[in-house]
Amino acid sequence: MPQMNMMQALTSAMDVKLAEDERVLAFGEDVGYFGGVFGVTRGLQEKYGSSRVFDAPINEGAIIAMAMGMATNGMRPIAEIQFADYIFPGFDQIISELTRIRYRSAGQYTAPVTIRTPCGGGIYGGQTHSMSPEAFFTHIPGLVVAMPSNPYDAKGLLISCIESDDPALFFEPKRLYNGPFDGDPNKPQSSWKDHPKGEVPEGNYTVPLGVADVVREGSDVTVVAYGTMVHVALAAAEAEGVDAEIIDLRTLIPYDIDTVARSVQKTGRCVILHEAPRTSGFGAELAAQIQEDCFYSLEAPIQRVTGWDTPYPHAHEWSYFPGQERVARALKKTVEFA
Amino acid sequence: MGKAEPRISVPAPAFRPGDTPGFSRLGLPRPGHHARPDILADAAEIRDLAFGLVGVLDEEANAVGDWAPGLSPEELRAGLKTMVLTREYDNRMLKMQRTKRLSFYMKSLGEEAVAVAATQALDAGDMLFPSYRQQGALIQRGAELVDMMCHCISNSRDNLKGRQLPVHYTRKDLNWFSVSGNLGTQFPQAVGWSMASALKGETAIACSWIGDGTTAEGDFHAAMTLASTYNAPVVLNVVNNQWAISMHNSISGGKAPSFAAKAIGYGIPGIRVDGNDYLAVAAVTRWAAERARGGGGPTLIESYTYRGEAHSTSDDPSKYRPKDEYEAWPLGDPVERLRAHLIKLGEWDGEQHEAWQAECKQAVADAWKEALTYGTLEEGPHAPVPTMFEDVFTAQPWHLRRQRQELGV
């Protein structure tokens, strides 16, 4: 089985779809000749030509509107927004147009657009290259929201998004592009080489939307995480010696309530992790739904470990990032709560 | 002279309620003034069209000059008939709104040619990305009035299942996109649609309309940038009807010499046309469509017109502009001008016109009667309540299923 890092897995997903479906297009800022600022579309223009893989003007609203117009005319565009922090000029086209056209037209028009965008901190990106803005988008009716934590899922989920008839927003935790990251910035950069999830088949396969992955079975506490925080959770549970059941949500909308509820009903305890700010974050939604579905099983308050309600700072990145120590503390507190 | 210092200015219209309106300041060129360039003319060579006014019908109702589109009498009659029908439809719907049978309505009085002539000049397969005031285009495309009415009153036959407010039509079967309500969003979408058409090797183009006020939106710049960058086969229209609800077009236009002139910076042709001149709108649209189909890329057309009535049923124009400003509009009424032209050609007469008006009135009344048999806004029947939860996603996910169950439907 080929070994791929997350960037290569994502390139492979687009390569597969561009090859087998002529309706698929890929565009965005620096996406064409240069292959994207993170190199995720590298080689695709050369292979598929500049009418299928191309640069787009620096106007996120234009990029999303163009994708939507194309999608309503039979295409399946993959639009890259260079950083999730840059997506907001396109917010209106996403919230008012792309995600509503099926509803507004009573199914006459559909817009199967996939928006790819790198998110999350840990690369000294400061407040404009580090955001995890997923909660804004999980609040929008009609939008699939996904965030993988490893190369295998990244490729399979991205193909699922491209093949889906619904518009999808695909977040790529950029700190995981080159290797799993357990939250410790002092360790040397790890690699996806030799990681089981770095084994990525060459051809088409899918990871289904709406299905979570139990990445570690356990009985003491359920940890619900996605993206980079999955790796932080694994390391923290290991370090703290907590027998945690760790769930990688993979898809945020629609999220896999069955897997989450089953686990919390088993463990009776739950910690929710995300890198995004806490207030009105996706963790709030998860906590509310979990208490609705698992109230009689809960033996401790649901804890959230998240980024702070501040912009993502540059110098204090690692005080902002919800690292192993904070996660371990929450696990301990939750497990010991009587 | 005071000392020079920075100061801002907020534009104001020349006339407000109580003033005597007049438009002599416009200094518009006469019909027939402009030559019709080759359809693949270099945009840089035809910049004068962005500052002038393409007109065909002169004051004696003759078609004059290079731009005369050579429409057949049948085509002209069809256009006139559609405009009259649109006007009767609008009148009826406004009345129905006043008696609370509709929640809301928007008329197109004075702007009928902008929609109808342009649509007649396009192919049936070309996709229309309208704003909320191009109902004439929908009628020109063959929509049945009863269907339009059923949408406006959200009854059981509303093809949008009661999800959209009145006049926000969607008709894929007629290659009419979906009217949004967020201004200008359709402009860059139209560009994307047209690009997909070209990528597929198809000849269909896209045509979109926004208002003068909406040119201030980022989506205007988005559409122009995309269209210019990719040479998209799209016709982009700015309907300059002088008013954006209560704001005069100077609030969005600022110091711009015309809205068509905005095209110059993008390197695409900008043409200002007399929007109340059916022949001129048809001619300019046909030129732009031929150019797009011939690989020449996009055109920005400014249709110079006047909004004859309120923005919508929610505003009273006498509060912000002279009551008689419409009567003072120097470019006349599109229906009257085309009617006079057809009469001059000996292809129409007053009797026929009256008969057609009566026929339209009757057709509208009949359609309204029929529409009510499918339900009313207040009493229904509407689309079944559970349909509210459909079409959000392709398949209904668990959270929507639970919410539907919570509502008990």
Side-chain angles (χ1 to χ4, degrees), chain A:
Chain A
M1 183 92 60
Q3 286 284 328
M4 297 187 197
N5 64 29
M6 197 190 277
M7 294 176 289
Q8 291 164 331
L10 292 164
T11 312
S12 173
M14 287 185 275
D15 193 358
V16 164
K17 290 311 296 177
L18 282 159
E20 70 179 28
D21 187 346
E22 62 181 15
R23 301 169 303 169
V24 174
L25 309 165
F27 48 80
E29 295 153 18
D30 298 298
V31 156
Y33 184 84
F34 183 53
V37 294
F38 291 100
V40 177
T41 52
R42 197 167 289 157
L44 296 178
Q45 184 177 73
E46 202 179 354
K47 193 165 173 185
Y48 297 101
S50 59
S51 62
R52 294 190 64 201
V53 179
F54 52 88
D55 288 334
I58 304 169
N59 183 324
E60 292 73 17
I63 291 169
I64 290 158
M66 170 168 64
M68 175 179 164
M70 288 174 158
T72 59
N73 196 2
M75 296 301 190
R76 290 194 171 254
I78 307 163
E80 178 179 306
I81 300 298
Q82 197 160 78
F83 285 88
D85 315 63
Y86 298 175
I87 202 167
F88 298 101
F91 201 51
D92 183 40
Q93 285 286 347
I94 295 173
I95 194 168
S96 312
E97 299 292 322
L98 180 66
T99 55
R100 281 196 211 162
I101 187 65
R102 174 191 292 277
Y103 192 78
R104 186 171 97 201
S105 71
Q108 294 178 66
Y109 292 99
T110 57
V113 170
T114 300
I115 303 166
R116 292 179 38 244
T117 190
C119 69
I123 62 157
Y124 279 117
Q127 55 185 281
T128 53
H129 304 78
S130 304
M131 274 184 85
S132 294
E134 66 273 11
F136 294 104
F137 299 93
T138 57
H139 197 60
I140 301 175
L143 183 63
V144 169
V145 181
M147 192 191 296
S149 70
N150 60 70
Y152 180 88
D153 286 353
K155 179 172 173 181
L157 277 173
L158 182 56
I159 291 179
S160 285
C161 287
I162 299 166
E163 291 180 351
S164 166
D165 288 334
D166 294 314
L169 180 53
F170 187 87
F171 285 107
E172 303 170 3
K174 60 176 99 67
R175 193 63 171 81
L176 301 180
Y177 272 153
N178 287 304
F181 175 66
D182 67 6
D184 183 351
N186 299 315
K187 276 194 198 159
Q189 169 71 51
S190 59
S191 158
W192 287 111
K193 213 166 171 257
D194 305 326
H195 191 285
K197 295 286 189 179
E199 287 182 14
V200 179
E202 291 280 8
N204 186 326
Y205 69 91
T206 55
V207 169
L209 297 168
V211 181
D213 185 23
V214 180
V215 296
R216 185 190 190 283
E217 289 190 16
S219 55
D220 289 351
V221 56
T222 299
V223 179
V224 184
Y226 49 87
T228 309
M229 295 310 294
V230 172
H231 303 281
V232 179
L234 284 164
E238 182 76 23
E240 197 60 30
V242 172
D243 186 21
E245 178 142 299
I246 299 174
I247 297 174
D248 178 356
L249 221 43
R250 302 198 288 196
T251 306
L252 277 61
I253 296 292
Y255 62 96
D256 185 351
I257 187 63
D258 292 342
T259 297
V260 171
R262 209 180 305 125
S263 177
V264 176
Q265 281 156 8
K266 181 178 79 174
T267 64
R269 294 161 201 269
C270 182
V271 175
I272 298 165
L273 312 180
H274 56 65
E275 210 182 316
R278 178 170 306 174
T279 302
S280 301
F282 193 57
E285 168 58 32
L286 291 169
Q289 193 62 53
I290 290 167
Q291 69 84 20
E292 279 181 35
D293 283 20
C294 310
F295 184 74
Y296 292 105
S297 308
L298 284 172
E299 292 168 34
I302 298 170
Q303 299 282 315
R304 285 180 287 166
V305 185
T306 67
W308 307 119
D309 287 352
T310 69
Y312 217 119
H314 186 236
H316 297 302
E317 186 161 53
W318 300 112
S319 298
Y320 178 96
F321 187 87
Q324 275 186 44
E325 218 173 290
R326 285 175 56 203
V327 174
R329 215 181 307 145
L331 290 178
K332 194 159 180 272
K333 192 174 162 192
T334 305
V335 169
E336 288 174 357
F337 185 89

Side-chain angles (χ1 to χ4, degrees), chain B residues 253-381:
Chain B
K255 296 193 192 309
S258 74
F259 290 97
K262 288 174 184 277
I264 291 170
Y266 296 93
I268 70 178
I271 306 177
R272 187 157 58 167
V273 62
D274 177 352
N276 292 12
D277 178 339
Y278 191 94
L279 276 71
V281 173
V284 169
T285 307
R286 185 184 282 178
W287 184 90
E290 281 177 22
R291 180 178 175 90
R293 254 184 271 279
T299 301
L300 181 73
I301 299 170
E302 174 185 353
S303 279
Y304 207 64
T305 184
Y306 188 89
R307 196 189 76 213
E309 292 222 6
H311 165 70
S312 77
T313 47
S314 302
D315 64 299
D316 173 3
S318 72
K319 297 277 197 289
Y320 51 77
R321 67 185 190 187
K323 269 191 175 130
D324 50 351
E325 194 173 67
Y326 181 43
E327 283 74 56
W329 181 244
L331 300 174
D333 173 77
V335 171
E336 284 311 307
R337 288 175 69 190
L338 181 56
R339 172 176 172 265
H341 178 59
L342 272 163
I343 290 172
K344 189 127 199 184
L345 291 176
E347 296 288 349
W348 195 247
D349 60 39
E351 239 169 76
Q352 278 174 296
H353 196 81
E354 273 172 37
W356 176 249
Q357 272 178 321
E359 208 176 307
C360 289
K361 254 193 185 62
Q362 191 59 47
V364 170
D366 291 347
W368 179 254
K369 219 166 144 187
E370 191 191 341
L372 294 183
T373 67
Y374 298 102
T376 63
L377 176 65
E378 284 207 323
E379 287 163 25

